[in-house]
Amino acid sequence: MASVVEKVIRGAVSRVLGGIASFNRRWLPVPDGPYPYFTGLHEPAAGEYTVENLHVTGVLPPELDGRYLRIGPNPVHRDTRGHHWFVGDGMVHGVRLQGGQARWYRNRFVRSRKVSEALDVPMAPGPHRGRFDNVNTALVAVGGSAWALVEAGSAPVRLGDDLEQQAYDDFGGTLQGPFSAHPHRDPVTGDLHAIAYRGDEPDSVRHVVVSPEGRVRRELRIPVAHGPMVHDCAVTERYVVILDLPVTFSMKSMLSGQYFPYRWNPEHPARVGLLPKDGGVADITWVPVDPCFVFHTANAYDTADGQVVLDAVVYDRVFDGSTHGPASNPRGLERWIIDPAAGSVTRRLVDAAPQEFPRIDGRRSGLPHRFVYTLGLPEAFTPDIVGASHLFRHDLHTGERQRHDFGAGLAPGEFVFVPRHEAAAEDDGWLVGFVIDAAVDATDLVVLDATRFEGPPVASVRIPHRIPVGFHGEWFPAR
Ligand SMILES: [Fe+2]
């Protein structure tokens, strides 16, 4: 009961601080418990809010005209049985910046079947594709709209500009199979390339290509063994890079009631595939790599001598014990040189510090990049990421690593790069992301100048409640 009272007070404070139109639509029950992904920085938002004309500290660059959106898991029911952090119901948080002001903040559940039943609200229209319609992982711009994405099943969800309208959309009926949370932009055509998979197709993954207008123009099934989990891929001017690594579908986990039925599988050979972007299955060059796992690539590009450079955050192994979420830190940021002629992958450690969510200047997708920005993790792994209060900026030309420390008690998430203008040089722009201020249960949308990375923020926008730890964000410029 105490926690409910706290939240009512917090909601009232939000309304006062937030200005014109703060409201919460409904309250969810908040049982107490030690489960790490329902408590602390992960504690789900208790309702949906709209806050207008937010308080800004510093000066918001007027060039930042658009929306920062971020998505993550926000379970409507807090049942720990079989729960995994990765499968919580999706919630999108967004902030609209315009003319040096922060016009609004909104958070909205993705209107899946389960969310609709729990909150007694209409489901988002469109093809939900069965029971597994939870969309919670990443966002991408296609055809002038923001889309919420998830891997392994559900169709994406197209979001209205103010997040009030949502529709499940299989790219206008052109997507036959699953999609991915991490498609990558083709530097030549502007198409999105993804490697997609789902549990009921353990013998294949799919190369899916979506045109800039939002129509699927290719779905190629690629034979694999054991049903690997493929969270990310990479694209270059010539290739799609396929990561076929030893986390695979586990029927045993499925039958034991786990919502996340993927486990480390030492029987599954680790390999990297180079698929010519318009090639067939026979054109893929598969190259073995030592067993490891990659959630996120930063970028990849071709070299003049026919190799592919891939930067990624690499784990020695994952999902080998805990059934609730990752249970250890990555080994760091690595550079892989994939040589299809030699059939080899050479791995070089760029930085051993624990870090995740690597991002680049998106205009360098598939092209040589110089800078990678990552979220620092605590030295000792902890599910609630207490102690993660820094970002890294890697200059891969000089080898210099800069560190931006937000300070004790401040917990950043993934930051995204926004160029100063379309013709600006790489790294000439801002980094934008959420930082939780745990002491006062609030969140800031923080803007850093990428070229003065270690300096104080250019601006921060106060959101008068805590936005729980989430997954991925994106900047959507105003049209
Ligand atoms: Fe991801």
Side-chain angles (χ1 to χ4, degrees):
M1 186 61 191
S3 62
V4 172
V5 171
E6 264 177 38
K7 288 182 186 310
V8 170
I9 293 170
R10 200 181 302 151
V13 171
S14 293
R15 283 187 286 278
V16 171
L17 292 178
I20 295 173
S22 171
F23 64 94
N24 78 70
R25 291 181 166 183
R26 54 195 63 82
W27 299 101
L28 302 173
V30 187
D32 295 322
Y35 184 70
Y37 294 107
F38 292 164
T39 56
L41 300 181
H42 289 275
E43 185 182 336
E48 296 182 325
Y49 308 87
T50 299
V51 186
E52 296 187 341
N53 296 327
L54 300 128
H55 182 261
V56 178
T57 301
V59 178
L60 272 176
E63 297 93 331
L64 287 176
D65 183 6
R67 294 168 298 151
Y68 171 75
L69 305 183
R70 202 220 61 192
I71 192 168
N74 200 91
V76 290
H77 299 302
R78 305 195 196 172
D79 183 351
T80 61
R81 290 169 298 180
H83 181 263
H84 190 286
W85 180 35
F86 288 6
V87 299
D89 307 288
M91 177 177 275
V92 182
H93 302 260
V95 180
R96 173 73 165 105
L97 305 183
Q98 185 183 40
Q101 298 184 34
R103 300 289 186 192
W104 53 254
Y105 159 86
R106 284 185 173 85
N107 67 314
R108 297 293 181 267
F109 277 106
V110 174
R111 296 296 201 257
S112 65
R113 180 171 283 101
K114 184 171 142 200
V115 165
S116 164
E117 289 167 2
L119 303 185
D120 192 23
V121 294
M123 273 197 309
H128 286 242
R129 294 184 164 180
R131 287 175 52 232
F132 301 107
D133 62 346
N134 178 30
V135 176
N136 71 2
T137 311
L139 299 146
V140 71
V142 183
S145 294
W147 298 63
L149 305 176
V150 71
E151 68 208 67
S154 175
V157 174
R158 187 163 34 81
L159 302 169
D161 283 355
D162 59 5
L163 306 181
E164 300 293 355
Q165 294 80 39
Q166 302 180 4
Y168 283 78
D169 189 337
D170 49 7
F171 298 117
T174 60
L175 178 70
Q176 303 304 309
F179 198 55
S180 162
H182 290 300
H184 288 264
R185 189 86 55 189
D186 185 323
V188 181
T189 65
D191 290 337
L192 289 174
H193 288 252
I195 298 297
Y197 72 100
R198 65 184 183 201
D200 60 353
E201 292 180 0
D203 58 352
S204 65
V205 296
R206 298 180 185 225
H207 174 219
V208 184
V209 182
V210 181
S211 73
E213 297 76 32
R215 292 293 176 267
V216 173
R217 67 168 189 80
R218 172 177 155 106
E219 274 181 280
L220 174 71
R221 286 181 80 149
I222 298 165
V224 295
H226 305 133
M229 174 186 171
V230 184
H231 186 65
D232 203 350
C233 67
V235 66
T236 74
E237 290 176 272
R238 295 177 63 192
Y239 297 112
V240 177
V241 182
I242 306 165
L243 298 168
D244 181 7
L245 302 172
V247 170
T248 64
F249 183 77
S250 165
M251 184 58 78
K252 185 177 164 193
S253 297
M254 184 83 165
L255 294 175
S256 70
Q258 303 296 319
Y259 291 134
F260 181 78
Y262 285 85
R263 291 291 174 269
W264 182 259
N265 179 1
E267 305 299 317
H268 186 81
R271 60 180 186 166
V272 180
L274 296 182
L275 165 65
K277 287 189 300 199
D278 290 315
V281 169
D283 300 314
I284 303 172
T285 302
W286 289 106
V287 181
V289 63
D290 290 336
C292 62
F293 193 74
V294 171
F295 285 109
H296 298 121
T297 65
N299 191 37
Y301 59 87
D302 302 305
T303 67
D305 56 2
Q307 299 175 330
V308 169
V309 175
L310 172 72
D311 289 342
V313 170
V314 182
Y315 292 73
D316 285 329
R317 60 173 55 195
V318 293
F319 306 135
D320 198 19
S322 169
T323 56
H324 301 302
S328 64
N329 273 337
R331 57 182 288 120
L333 180 65
E334 292 193 0
R335 169 154 289 189
W336 293 7
I337 308 297
I338 306 163
D339 187 337
S344 65
V345 177
T346 304
R347 293 170 59 179
R348 179 171 71 82
L349 187 62
V350 174
D351 182 16
Q355 56 200 294
E356 249 296 358
F357 296 114
R359 298 291 299 239
I360 61 161
D361 180 335
R363 297 170 301 164
R364 304 306 300 166
S365 175
L367 303 170
H369 60 279
R370 176 171 174 177
F371 299 97
V372 173
Y373 316 97
T374 62
L375 169 67
L377 300 175
E379 286 297 324
F381 176 82
T382 156
D384 54 9
I385 68 160
V386 169
S389 61
H390 56 284
L391 306 176
F392 292 124
R393 171 183 178 270
H394 300 276
D395 182 337
L396 299 166
H397 285 188
T398 65
E400 181 190 19
R401 185 192 78 184
Q402 292 184 318
R403 175 180 170 124
H404 183 95
D405 264 300
F406 291 94
L410 299 177
E414 177 197 64
F415 269 57
V416 302
F417 178 83
V418 185
R420 197 170 302 274
H421 53 81
E422 267 313 298
E426 182 183 0
D427 194 48
D428 181 11
W430 299 280
L431 291 157
V432 181
F434 285 141
V435 179
I436 303 168
D437 186 343
V440 297
D441 248 352
T443 308
D444 290 308
L445 177 69
V446 175
V447 179
L448 302 177
D449 185 332
T451 60
R452 294 187 298 110
F453 183 76
E454 293 179 327
V458 172
S460 61
V461 177
R462 173 119 305 197
I463 294 127
H465 55 262
R466 188 175 34 71
I467 295 175
V469 172
F471 294 142
H472 298 285
E474 198 59 73
W475 173 255
F476 296 88
R479 289 192 288 273

